[in-house]
Structure formats: C-alpha cells, structure tokens
C-alpha cells in the first residue's frame, strides 16, 4: 500500500480532477486546495460530477492568500505538491492582468515560500503547471525546452515568472522542483469557455436539434491538442525522477480551430463546408444548409499566437512518456460526454 501524500492546488479544475483520480488509483492520500465558491456548493462542480468529492481531503485556500497556503501545506504535509491552480484563460488575462499575475505568478511564489518556511525543502517534491503559451510566436518549429520564450499575454508573462521562480528554488535551495511545459490538453471536463469544449458542446447541441450557430474567434489558430489523461500521467512521472528537470509534453501534431470543428461535427455525422472569409466566414452543415459556425470578433485576442506544436523528445527519452490517446478518440469522447450530459446522464 502506497502511503504517499499528494497536495493538488486547482483540484477543482480539469487537470486537478484527472490527476486526483490517477493518484488515488496509485494509492496516494490526496489533498486538494479549493477556494470557496457560491455556485459550487455541495459538490455541484467538476469534483462532484467525477465522484471524487468524498475521496479527497479538501482544504479551503486561495493562491492570493499566502497564510492560507501555509496552513494548507502545514496540515496536509505532502510528499508531492502539484501547483495547478491558475487563472488559466488567456483571453481573460488581457481583461484581468493584475489578478492573473497575483494568482499565477505570486501564487506560485507563495507556495514555494510555504515549502521553505515549513522546512519541507528536502522532503517535498514540487510540480509547476507551466505552459506552451510561453513560446508565443516562436522562431522554432516544433518548440522544445530550449526554444526561446516570447510570451504574448498577461497569462503567459505570469507563467514565465512562475517557471523562473520554480527554477530558482531548485537552484538556490535544492528543492526537487520541475516545470511541465504542457501544450493544450483537453477532456470531457474541460472548462466550457475554452475553444475545444465550446465546439464539442455545440456539436452535441446540434445533434439534439438546437440550430443556434456557434460563435468563434480566430479559426486559423493552430494548436497541439492532446488528451489531459496522458498529460497528468506525465506530471506524475516528473516527480518520480531522481533529479528534477523541465519537460515539454506535446503530441507533435497541430491542427487549426477549423479542423477541430470539422472533427467534432463529423462525430455526429455532420460535414462542415466553409464559406466566406475573415469575420464573414461561416461553417455550413452541408446536409441542411444551415450555418453551424459564425465568426464573432469579440473572441479575437489583442495578441494571438498563430501556431504552437511541441517536441516531447526529452519526456519520451527520460520519462518514457508518450501520448496514448489519439486526437480522434479524444474529440469523439468529448462530444459523446456532452451528448450524454444533454440527455441528462453525465459521464
Ligand atoms: P482550469 O480547469 O482552469 O483549473 C484551474 C484551477 O485553478 C481551478 O481549480 C480553479 O478553481 C483554481 N484557481 C483559480 N484561481 C484560484 C485562486 N485564486 N486560488 C485557488 N485556486 C484557484 O485549468 P486546467 O486546464 O485544469 O489547467 C491546470 C493548470 O495547467 C493551470 O495552471 C493551467 O494554467 C495550466 N495549463 C493548462 C493547459 C491545458 O491545456 N489545460 C496547458 C498548459 C498549462 P475554481 O474551480 O474555483 O475556478
Ligand atoms: O482554447 P483556448 O482558449 O486555449 P489557449 O489560449 O491555447 O490556452 C489554453 O492552452 C494553454 C497551453 O498552450 C494553457 F496554458 C492555457 O491555460 C489554456 O488551457 O484557445 C485556443 C485557440 C486560440 O488561438 C484562440 O484564439 O482557439 C482560438 N479561439 C478561436 N475561437 C478561441 C475561440 N478560443 C476561445 N477560448 N474561444 C473562442 O471562441
């Protein structure tokens, strides 16, 4: 029986749920830090939906409240700490830049200081949820650990601070601290305002007869989309290594938002034909002739990243990590989960 203890900040998020499940399956005692929410009382959130509510130890805390972080780390006494909490929406970060920095940049610093102040530098291992957003419009394709960072959003800048701070605690205090530079990863509990989940929910609604077109922003952006279950396994592997390091996790394949739309609607047997261009472009259901997708400039970003695709060679060689879930399977399962939710039985 595994007696290790893990603490996950951001346990109510997409990755928090998948990681908690993975660690519980491995026999860990799992603690999670969550912030109080009026709309998620009684487990009516992703934790409740996934059935994890009763199986993890939950502590109230907030990344903007350093004392609460110290209390949670002191009470949980974790062997492994996964810092997943973040204001993780890139577009929102342009509207709330200071808050994004407080949560993502200073929050990470508060957590690292808690480990140091509680004399846990030698006993605890630390994972920081870093991101491919750091690369911005990179000059190298695909991006790897050595690619120059050119962050293009308040979100990416805040995550850059956190990445550098994590490296600093590794170098200054010998903390076993690793950054996972993760490319986009999705799943059935993905937040509803991220583009993939907007699309899979719209495809499910379309299959149920709701003909309201889905409004999207930049259809040309290319992302390297993987399955979140593969990525949380990579996080865990990083903390099982003798020495800490920073790793890219990616599939090595990229697709446009337009291609994601086509794949999701194909799952419900609908072919999309694109007509027009720019803000006037629409995606038409070829069978009915109805517009299923329209472009709405409100979803454009002040600064966009046109193409992200990662090279996970280091993770493959050192961690033995490689993604197992195909793009097609991931999209199909996301759509199927949204169809099931619409029918009233959540999966
Ligand atoms: P997510 O679904 O947005 O979850 C974020 C989590 O952080 C939620 O549990 C949220 O709590 C919590 N949180 C936000 N502000 C907080 C605060 N002030 N104090 C305490 N908790 C707070 O994100 P995700 O997709 O699971 O991603 C997990 C992490 O990986 C994030 O740090 C994200 O930036 C990073 N990342 C994600 C991806 C990806 O493609 N998914 C790729 C690279 C990096 P509430 O439920 O209360 O909002
Ligand atoms: O789904 P997105 O909002 O994800 P984005 O911006 O790539 O960020 C996600 O992945 C990062 C890893 O690279 C994480 F660090 C971050 O926390 C988050 O999980 O947008 C993907 C692309 C963008 O180019 C965006 O402009 O889709 C484009 N897009 C087009 N229409 C849209 C929409 N994005 C959103 N959210 N909503 C739209 O209607």
């Amino acid at each position: 029986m595994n007696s290790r203890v893990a603490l996950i900040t951001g346990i109510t998020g997409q990755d928090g749920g998948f990681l908690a499940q993975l660690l519980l399956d491995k026999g860990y005692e799992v603690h999670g830090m969550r912030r109080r929410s009026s709309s998620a009382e009684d487990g009516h959130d992703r934790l409740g939906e996934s059935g994890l509510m009763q199986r993890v130890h939950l502590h109230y805390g907030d990344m903007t409240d350093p004392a609460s972080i110290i209390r949670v780390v002191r009470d949980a006494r974790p062997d492994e700490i996964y810092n997943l909490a973040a204001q993780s929406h890139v577009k929102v970060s342009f509207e709330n830049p200071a808050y994004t920095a407080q949560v993502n940049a200073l929050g990470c610093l508060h957590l690292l200081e808690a480990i140091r102040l509680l004399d846990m530098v030698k006993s605890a291992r630390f994972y920081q949820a870093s991101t491919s957003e750091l690369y911005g419009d990179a000059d190298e394709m695909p991006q790897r650990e050595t690619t120059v960072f050119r962050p293009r959003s308040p979100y990416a800048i805040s995550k850059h601070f956190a990445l550098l701070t994590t490296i600093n605690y590794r170098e200054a205090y010998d903390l076993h601290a690793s950054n996972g530079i993760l490319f986009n990863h999705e799943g059935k509990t993905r937040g509803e305002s991220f583009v993939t989940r907007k699309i899979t929910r719209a495809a499910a609604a379309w299959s149920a007869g709701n003909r309201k077109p889905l409004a999207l922003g930049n259809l040309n952006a290319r992302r390297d989309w993987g399955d979140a279950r593969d990525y949380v396994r990579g996080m865990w592997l990083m903390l099982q290594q003798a020495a800490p390091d920073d790793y890219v996790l990616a599939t090595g394949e990229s697709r446009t938002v337009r291609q994601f739309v086509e794949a999701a609607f194909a799952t419900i047997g609908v072919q999309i034909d694109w007509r027009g261009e720019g803000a006037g472009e629409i995606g038409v259901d070829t069978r009915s002739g109805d517009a299923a997708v329209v472009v709405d400039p409100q979803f454009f970003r002040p600064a966009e990243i046109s193409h992200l695709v990662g090279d996970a060679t280091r993770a493959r060689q050192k961690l033995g990590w490689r993604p197992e879930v195909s793009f097609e399977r991931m999209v199909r399962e996301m759509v199927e989960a949204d169809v099931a939710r619409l029918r009233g039985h959540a999966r």
Side-chain angles (χ1 to χ4, degrees):
M1 180 64 185
N2 185 349
S3 58
R4 277 180 293 175
V5 177
L7 170 64
I8 304 171
T9 72
I11 195 165
T12 58
Q14 170 189 256
D15 290 4
F18 285 123
L19 180 63
Q21 187 64 63
L22 179 95
L23 296 175
L24 287 167
D25 291 346
K26 291 185 181 298
Y28 278 73
E29 177 181 312
V30 177
H31 292 250
M33 191 179 93
R34 74 181 312 188
R35 54 184 175 161
R36 202 257 161 184
S37 158
S38 305
S39 57
E41 297 284 13
D42 308 322
H44 291 304
D45 57 8
R46 280 179 284 194
L47 264 185
E49 187 182 323
S50 58
L52 288 171
M53 196 75 181
Q54 321 307 331
R55 302 178 59 207
V56 297
H57 304 264
L58 292 173
H59 308 255
Y60 280 110
D62 195 296
M63 296 308 287
T64 61
D65 177 352
S68 75
I69 297 174
I70 294 172
R71 178 178 47 72
V72 172
V73 175
R74 184 199 64 193
D75 292 353
R77 289 298 306 174
D79 302 299
E80 296 174 13
I81 300 173
Y82 296 86
N83 184 30
L84 309 187
Q87 191 303 90
S88 72
H89 202 285
V90 175
K91 170 108 190 324
V92 171
S93 79
F94 286 97
E95 281 139 38
N96 295 273
Y99 177 70
T100 301
Q102 277 165 15
V103 176
N104 301 1
L106 291 182
C108 174
L109 176 62
H110 297 325
L111 185 51
L112 287 163
E113 269 301 273
I115 295 170
R116 202 168 70 87
L117 294 173
L118 293 165
D119 289 328
M120 292 172 65
V121 166
K122 295 282 173 272
S123 63
R125 294 182 173 196
F126 181 78
Y127 172 84
Q128 168 58 21
S130 194
T131 167
S132 52
E133 281 290 309
L134 294 190
Y135 295 119
D137 276 332
D139 356 301
E140 195 175 23
M141 224 36 96
Q143 295 90 44
R144 49 181 70 89
E145 292 82 0
T146 50
T147 302
V148 174
F149 295 131
R150 300 190 194 288
R152 277 171 70 76
S153 65
Y155 168 78
I157 293 163
S158 70
K159 286 284 187 174
H160 196 193
F161 177 97
L163 173 130
L164 294 174
T165 304
T166 300
I167 293 172
N168 183 239
Y169 275 65
R170 181 164 81 211
E171 293 176 350
Y173 306 117
D174 209 18
L175 175 66
H176 191 298
S178 299
N179 287 289
I181 306 170
L182 271 50
F183 284 65
N184 298 49
H185 46 277
E186 318 295 315
K188 63 183 184 179
T189 50
R190 182 58 144 151
E192 293 176 3
S193 61
F194 295 97
V195 78
T196 57
R197 190 72 197 292
K198 276 184 75 169
I199 296 168
T200 60
R201 290 182 81 226
W206 198 259
S207 75
N210 180 345
R211 298 288 141 130
K212 185 164 177 276
L214 168 66
L216 293 176
N218 180 7
L219 299 172
N220 296 317
R222 294 186 84 91
R223 290 291 182 275
D224 179 333
W225 280 296
D227 188 286
R229 292 165 293 186
D230 281 330
Y231 289 60
V232 299
R233 180 165 42 80
M235 296 175 190
W236 175 77
L237 282 169
M238 288 177 212
L239 296 204
Q240 310 317 306
Q241 304 309 302
D245 204 345
D246 305 322
Y247 297 91
V248 161
L249 297 185
T251 70
E253 295 171 11
S254 69
R255 292 174 176 79
T256 60
V257 170
R258 200 182 276 102
Q259 287 172 309
F260 197 104
V261 170
E262 290 164 9
F265 278 78
T267 300
I268 57 155
V270 170
Q271 195 188 334
I272 299 290
D273 187 24
W274 299 98
R275 298 183 192 159
E277 55 186 57
E281 186 167 356
I282 55 171
V284 174
D285 175 341
T286 52
R287 204 163 35 201
S288 66
D290 295 333
V293 178
V294 296
V295 172
D296 184 338
Q298 73 161 300
F299 298 111
F300 292 161
R301 294 169 182 193
E304 174 65 285
I305 299 176
S306 51
H307 190 178
L308 289 172
V309 60
D311 175 356
T313 302
R314 182 186 289 177
R316 192 168 62 248
Q317 291 178 344
K318 288 181 68 178
L319 306 177
W321 181 88
R322 61 179 74 235
E324 289 171 1
V325 181
S326 69
F327 176 79
E328 291 74 19
R329 178 179 153 200
M330 176 190 78
V331 175
R332 189 182 67 247
E333 290 182 0
M334 287 177 72
V335 174
E336 285 171 357
D338 281 325
V339 167
R341 282 192 189 94
L342 270 184
R343 290 188 182 141
H345 39 93
R347 310 157 144 229

